[in-house]
Amino acid sequence: MTDTPLKSWAETAPRLVAVAAGREAADLVIKSAKVVNVHTREVLDGWQVAVAEGRFAYVGPDASHCLADDTEVIDADGKYLIPGLCDAHMHIESGMLTPAEFAAAVIPHGTTSMFTDPHEIANVLGLEGVRLMHDEAALQPVNIFTQMPSCAPSAPGLETTGREITPEDVAEAMNWPGIIGLGEMMNFPGVVHGDPKMLAEIAATQNANKTVGGHYASPDLGPNFHAYAAGGPADDHEGTCEADAIARVRQGMRSMMRLGSAWYDVETQITAVTEKGLDPRSFILCTDDSHSGTLVNDGHMNRVVRHAIACGCDPLIALQMATINTATHFGLERELGSIAPGRRADMILTPSLTELQIERVYARGALVAEKGRITVACPHLDWPDHARNTVHLGKTLEGADFEIAAPDGANTVTAKVIGVVENQAPTKALTADLQVSNGIVEPDEANDIAQIALVERHRGTGDVTNGFVSGFGYRGDMAIASTVAHDSHHMIVVGTSRRDMALAANRLGEVGGGITVFRDGKEIALVELPVAGLMSDEPAETVAAKAQNMVEAMAACGCTLNNAYMQHSLLALVVIPELRISDLGLVDVTKFELTELFEEP
């Protein structure tokens, strides 16, 4: 095997032809395998594959004519040989890892292709941040394709980001070698109402013959949904029920069904295939958001495929949804996603199609992981200093910055409250009657209502937006703060104690970003994320251990939600209903407008 860049099929065709014909020897031959053919949805028992130049040269019943003394021969001993898994939609930053460390974490789980949207860093560092992610991705031994972020800010007029993405940025990025298309078009109201900026970004992508990613986070499947589909998005991962999945594929879109650390949307949608019998080639599996703990302890796309099978999906169909369907969607069917001549030799050896234990992983013909251990280097980019210095509070915060003043003379108020929904991205718009003490509205621990604040951290304005949130179950004096705050990535602080909220916010200013948990005035957990306040360049195992300590600290403060941190990090995502918070105030996402914290008496 060689470390030189992968040559194209056209460049390697003379050698591939010669190897397949038996005139030249293969670099690698795998024999005695049950080869899973995702083109025909069948298992070819006893077949053999020959690899040359990092690509499949021969796939058939007998590769003995491709052998020479220096050919590496692997006896699969009857195990299944399946294509490397593809994640169709994901955000590397959600793993709290840089691209290199994310790759190192998922390769042992059999993921060999990723289609990533770095819109998190785009909101902090703009086009430069996207380029840094793109460049580190290009260094990796597996395929990491980058989608150019479309929406920074995600909802213009409802939030202020660190940087903005323009149609000119999109057009420029379409010329970069690793750009595969446009990232999820979250501003669906903009598309529906014909916003020139959004349509210009889509046009720049279509003119480059690349794929437009979708994000229609609304239950409305009427004319607005049809208008969105007419705008050009080719897929959508925001469906949460069978009707959503069916509606998308009927419009010629791909339904991307996600199983991330906190989003469990496969089981409720895959019935469109398993029960309704729709053509599975229009359905794709993805993760969207997986934090480091999930990657280290549970897996990546192998976890998603196993889950789809457990939900009643035929194993071969589930594999199609995580390989060839994804490749076809992005125009790469002739490049990856299957074990067939000319394709990149990305493949996995596993003893079971249902349990999907990952014994060996090959990428571009090279062994990259064995028995859960990575066997290759994942090179790092030299991130510039300014990318590690992005938390600017402007002042030392105090408890008073988190006080919510009541209307003059009020003893109680009816406040709008963000309601967290376990395992789902949407929130509920709730109301609660809260007590006033010395002119300040107090949270209500007995009824699970804590305070939430968004602290501006890009320009050092010192501004704090305050509100209320329910669903975490926090008890006692505590606070949790995070500079991961999709998508504007200011700082979100949730707490029952304004003193602890100030301590937590200031702590993240000191360390340059991350997540911290305070209880009774003392820090009990810290995950440092110095790169853009979003990522660590430490190994996934190290970050996962810190993240686990964070999860345990949240539980010690009374939280019982599954993957509650993922819910925390989305509380400022002003494109998913119903109620969110931004640096400009409380946002009613059902109407896409700012709203007052208190209801009229």
Side-chain angles (χ1 to χ4, degrees):
M1 298 298 117
T2 176
D3 292 330
T4 56
L6 182 72
K7 296 178 182 177
S8 69
W9 187 345
E11 291 173 305
T12 57
R15 174 119 190 263
L16 299 180
V17 170
V19 169
R23 295 190 299 271
E24 293 187 23
D27 299 326
L28 168 70
V29 167
I30 297 180
K31 64 179 185 179
S32 302
K34 293 185 177 76
V35 176
V36 173
N37 190 315
V38 291
H39 291 287
T40 57
R41 201 188 302 156
E42 61 181 333
V43 178
L44 302 166
D45 196 2
W47 272 38
Q48 303 182 2
V49 302
V51 175
E53 304 280 355
R55 294 179 179 272
F56 294 113
Y58 171 87
V59 181
D62 184 1
S64 59
H65 63 291
C66 306
L67 295 173
D69 291 343
D70 59 348
T71 301
E72 181 183 5
V73 179
I74 301 296
D75 188 342
D77 194 26
K79 295 183 175 68
Y80 293 94
L81 190 66
I82 67 176
L85 303 178
C86 306
D87 192 344
H89 175 73
M90 55 167 287
H91 309 285
I92 284 176
E93 304 99 313
S94 293
M96 307 178 190
L97 305 167
T98 57
E101 291 301 335
F102 196 101
V106 303
I107 288 171
H109 296 306
T111 301
T112 58
S113 295
M114 291 171 265
F115 297 82
T116 72
D117 180 357
H119 70 214
E120 320 301 353
I121 201 170
N123 280 272
V124 181
L125 295 173
L127 187 63
E128 180 196 12
V130 178
R131 184 74 205 209
L132 290 167
M133 296 289 283
H134 168 279
D135 290 354
E136 184 162 299
L139 300 175
Q140 305 315 310
V142 291
N143 316 306
I144 304 181
F145 300 96
T146 302
Q147 295 175 290
M148 176 60 196
S150 61
C151 300
S154 61
L158 297 180
E159 64 180 358
T160 310
T161 56
R163 300 285 181 87
E164 294 191 9
I165 294 296
T166 68
E168 291 74 23
D169 292 335
V170 172
E172 177 184 334
M174 288 301 143
N175 296 312
W176 299 351
I179 294 290
I180 196 67
L182 188 67
E184 54 183 310
M185 178 51 70
M186 294 179 290
N187 187 359
F188 61 89
V191 175
V192 170
H193 296 293
D195 179 84
K197 179 181 177 183
M198 297 299 99
L199 296 183
E201 291 184 358
I202 292 173
T205 307
Q206 292 175 322
N207 290 338
N209 293 316
K210 297 186 178 181
T211 305
V212 178
H215 172 116
Y216 184 78
S218 171
D220 177 8
L221 297 177
N224 282 347
F225 169 70
H226 289 265
Y228 183 73
D235 55 63
D236 190 29
H237 58 275
E238 287 296 331
T240 60
C241 64
E242 182 186 89
D244 289 340
I246 292 173
R248 284 150 176 79
V249 299
R250 283 177 175 170
Q251 295 299 307
M253 303 169 76
R254 258 69 177 221
S255 172
M256 289 186 175
M257 302 175 293
R258 61 186 174 184
L259 178 73
S261 291
W263 322 138
Y264 287 63
D265 296 320
V266 174
E267 185 173 7
T268 55
Q269 297 185 89
I270 205 165
T271 52
V273 173
T274 59
E275 296 179 12
K276 289 293 191 295
L278 270 61
D279 188 340
R281 292 300 295 269
S282 293
F283 295 82
I284 291 173
L285 296 173
C286 68
T287 64
D288 198 357
D289 292 300
S290 293
H291 68 60
S292 54
T294 300
L295 301 180
V296 170
N297 300 313
D298 301 325
H300 190 233
M301 282 304 298
N302 57 333
R303 170 177 174 258
V304 186
V305 173
R306 285 195 301 261
H307 176 69
I309 294 169
C311 291
C313 187
D314 180 284
L316 296 183
I317 292 177
L319 284 173
Q320 285 181 316
M321 292 178 178
T323 58
I324 191 63
N325 291 11
T326 304
T328 300
H329 178 61
F330 288 101
L332 294 172
E333 184 175 350
R334 301 279 289 170
E335 187 66 20
L336 51 87
S338 67
I339 299 173
R343 277 68 167 185
R344 301 182 186 190
D346 303 336
M347 52 188 165
I348 299 165
L349 274 174
T350 177
S352 170
L353 292 185
T354 55
E355 298 300 321
L356 209 61
Q357 306 96 324
I358 309 298
E359 292 194 354
R360 283 189 168 212
V361 184
Y362 291 83
R364 305 170 191 174
L367 180 67
V368 292
E370 185 171 16
K371 295 180 179 178
R373 297 287 182 181
I374 193 163
T375 59
V376 292
C378 292
H380 285 247
L381 196 70
D382 185 14
W383 288 79
D385 289 344
H386 64 269
R388 296 175 177 271
N389 182 28
T390 63
V391 181
H392 310 290
L393 301 184
K395 67 178 183 180
T396 299
L397 295 168
E398 300 177 353
D401 291 302
F402 299 93
E403 292 179 349
I404 301 175
D408 289 343
N411 294 317
T412 62
V413 296
T414 300
K416 296 173 184 174
V417 179
I418 301 171
V420 172
V421 181
E422 187 170 27
N423 290 332
Q424 289 192 4
T427 64
K428 294 295 185 183
L430 308 176
T431 60
D433 293 331
L434 300 176
Q435 297 297 312
V436 176
S437 175
N438 297 319
I440 304 300
V441 183
E442 298 293 345
D444 184 354
E445 180 180 303
N447 290 302
D448 188 19
I449 297 175
Q451 285 194 213
I452 181 173
L454 188 139
V455 178
E456 199 283 331
R457 67 108 163 171
H458 296 309
R459 296 175 176 83
T461 64
D463 292 341
V464 178
T465 303
N466 289 295
F468 296 98
V469 65
S470 177
F472 287 112
Y474 292 129
R475 296 288 185 268
D477 288 352
M478 58 74 60
I480 173 173
S482 171
T483 52
V484 178
H486 303 273
D487 278 340
S488 57
H489 295 294
H490 290 289
M491 183 191 299
I492 292 180
V493 189
V494 171
T496 59
S497 158
R498 291 186 284 271
R499 176 198 62 174
D500 285 347
M501 293 174 77
L503 290 171
N506 291 328
R507 177 62 167 150
L508 294 187
E510 293 173 5
V511 301
I515 311 110
T516 184
V517 182
F518 273 71
R519 185 181 187 187
D520 296 327
K522 296 181 179 179
E523 184 176 65
I524 60 173
L526 175 66
V527 184
E528 302 96 329
L529 302 176
V531 180
L534 302 173
M535 297 174 288
S536 169
D537 48 10
E538 291 185 299
E541 291 82 0
T542 302
V543 179
K546 293 179 180 180
Q548 181 58 33
N549 186 42
M550 171 197 69
V551 171
E552 292 171 0
M554 294 173 72
C557 293
C559 184
T560 60
L561 290 181
N562 176 57
N563 278 306
Y565 171 69
M566 298 298 287
Q567 310 290 349
H568 178 105
S569 69
L570 290 189
L571 292 171
L573 187 51
V574 295
V575 292
I576 296 184
E578 296 176 344
L579 196 61
R580 305 280 165 169
I581 192 170
S582 85
D583 63 304
L584 301 181
L586 203 61
V587 180
D588 181 341
V589 188
T590 64
K591 299 178 180 178
F592 267 81
E593 63 184 26
L594 296 170
T595 186
E596 296 298 325
L597 177 59
F598 302 129
E599 291 195 343
E600 293 292 332

